[in-house]
Amino acid sequence: MSVADPDAVEHASSARETASATHAAALPVAIALVSAAALAWQLLLMRWLAIAHWHPFAVMIISLALLGHGASGTWLSLWLRGERQARLARDFDAAFATCALLFAISAAATLLIARDIPFNGLELVWNPRQVLWLALLYLTLSIPFFFAAACFGLAFARHGSRIPALYGADLIGAAMGALVALAASALPVQRGLLLAAICGPIAAWLVTRRATFRVACIIVAVALAMLWLTQAFAPRANEFKGLSKSLLLPGARVIAHGADPYGSFTLVESARVPLRFAPGLSLSHTDELPQQLAIYTDGDAMSPIVRDDGHANWQWLDDMTSALPYRLRLPDRVLVLGTGGGLDVLQALTLGARRVDAVEQSALRARWARDDFGAYSGHLLDDRRVNSVTADPRTFVRATADRYDLIVLAGGESFASGGAGVQSASEQYALTVEALRDYLRTLSPRGMLVVTQWSKQPPRDELKLFATAVEALRAEGVRDPARNVVAIRNWDASTWLFARYAFDAHAVAALTRFAERRGFDVVHAPGARADAQERFHQLDPPTLYDGVQALLSPQSREYVEAYQFDIDPVSDDRPYFGHFFRWRSLPELWRLRAQGGAVLLDSGYLVLVATLVQAVVLALVLVLLPLRALGRGDRGSSHSRLRIGAYFVSLGLAFLLIEIAMLSRLTLLLGHPWIAANVGLAAMLLCAGLGSLHAQRWVSASDVDDAALDRRIAWAVRAIVLGLAWQFVVLVAAHAMTASWPLAWRAFVGFIGIAPLAFAMGMPFPLGLARLSRSAPAFVPWAWGLNGCASVVAAILALLLAIEVGLRATLVTALALYVFAAWVWRSPSAR
């Protein structure tokens, strides 16, 4: 009988302890890696769908990601019963690695499927099958998030005592993923998505020691890397987008493509059938226009680069409605907000401006217009009279000390809501009451603000713009706004001039002559005769003219309330300029759909509503109903089940309501919704993760019991109340004081404003899970899924609430839910 060497036994024991410690440390890293990959994939998927469809899909992506999380929690509740719960300790690494690999595989596969799903949001109002295609798209894209969340749920079920620490790693990893997505925005979006997917096999490798799984990790990673250069995952632009329609022209081709945080840009040339972009061009103009290159942002919103070969005829620039301000009073200094390809700069210089400051948000788009294709435009933006600035337009206005004779809202700032209501759920801070007041304050004493809008029938954009401007003028102390506004229209567009001074008879006479010679109708001018309207382009009924007069009358509020579309003035609290939908008009518009009335329905808003309905149904079917299979013993008592359910549902609703509203408010500070989403999510998730890690210290205390956990939950909710107040103060002060600061510093201030609130928001959920793991451990995955189910609905509901009642009211609603959660789940001893 042999005796073991004591030194060898001690060495083997030490090796096992070291390996166990290494494996324990690898798990939080792997969770952070999967979380970073999932959030980066989520954010880049927003960009992917913005190109394939339109912007309102952003909240749908957040919702479907949470559906995957909720369904995963339900699956784990059912799967980890009986013997499987006991075997989880032995098979955890295999289960985790399998889910991480399936995340990577499904992340690539679902993109291929999504490309071929024939969903078109514009058809939703007349083609019922589009509801089914939307549901299929929603379900398909939720699959990768199901497997990512399964990794987290498995870890929580296996290591209940480490839930706050692991949840903190999840949130911190997600914060890193937001920054990675921002850095990857310079890549073609499909490559960024593949890069995120590769993190799956890396995380699996860290957790598993089994040779079979490690070989699988290598195979999956290599396969994804080999797909790096393929175009199979690139999004297909919607067939109704401007880019798709332009490429149908014979000989049209893409000559440049690039991306930055402000969008994916495509430059199109059409030599055989020249492109022509001239909003409001008079029908009396018969000369040929110069050739143009078209810059498309995310497949839409065309901005032209006009060719200057030294022989061009520029008369067409004087025959557009947007030439009006130059014919009323020749401006010395002009500010163009939204340079794009430079059309408005060209018009300003051609019609006599002595100096033009051209502000463009995207450095890539500015470089194309000024440098890469500057020779095509005759080096327009290198003209000594032009000062090119790369900045957010509204931020530039708030920071500048200069005063301008004319401010031009150009490109996307002016045509904010074109496109059949597809932007109805998008923030547009360039056309709010507060924004117009900023512009008016930047004018010289005799300066003007000019905005050109596409015309729709019945009018929506134009009346909402006018109502917003009237409120802005009144807020600036103008008693009779009717004297400070003039407007003309062509068949396709109208141009509106707003000033701090009253237009006199000389200006009105000049306007009349200009309109008469070019066949434009006068929409409004002080003292203009009513019978002078509709001379060239008749409307039946003349709703635009009647609407302008009604909005200037003492009965303006009644007119706005009775109008069939929402034309309420737009504010920074409700910055949805493109939202016109009213439920009471739906029956009439639905009856008119066979006569073309369907185009009057805001497709973006209806897609949002349809997504909410299907999110509720799918959350019930995939998350809640399967939980009926759990035995009563797994659920606990009826009383505790009700309180626990109310607690986690309230937390799920409240967290997402605050998150979505915060991202929208941060857009005002940072100037672009996608940058705000990246920076805001990084800040919120990082600080919430730190809050969760702090909660770990409370859970690990030796004297902690249910009552102590309840007191700490109540403390966290009080901190959320204070954090929300702090965020209000910081963002208001930052908007007023940091306009001249670089974007990075403004982002840092936004982080400071969010950090205390997010830190406190990171505590109630893990504290509740930790308490639950003590008394009813089988309920932990169920509660995780229940919280996710509420979050699925809240992601979309938050935007709908913001559209209807405003961002502040949405935040207050979330705060009430946090207070209710703390009250409903107090321990019996505290009651």
Side-chain angles (χ1 to χ4, degrees), residues 356-372:
V356 178
D357 287 350
V359 180
E360 169 55 47
Q361 191 173 41
S362 167
L364 175 60
R365 192 162 48 191
R367 192 189 74 210
W368 279 4
R370 184 184 61 248
D371 301 326
D372 297 359

Side-chain angles (χ1 to χ4, degrees), residues 15-32 92-93 96 155 158-159 161-163 165-167 169 203 205-209 214 693 696:
R16 284 193 299 271
E17 291 176 0
T18 301
S20 177
T22 302
H23 188 263
L27 181 58
V29 175
I31 287 177
F92 169 74
D93 63 331
F96 185 97
R158 171 64 181 88
H159 301 282
S161 63
R162 299 174 63 191
I163 283 178
L166 297 178
Y167 183 62
W205 176 282
L206 289 174
V207 171
T208 186
R209 300 175 185 173
R214 291 202 161 186
L693 291 175
Q696 174 70 70

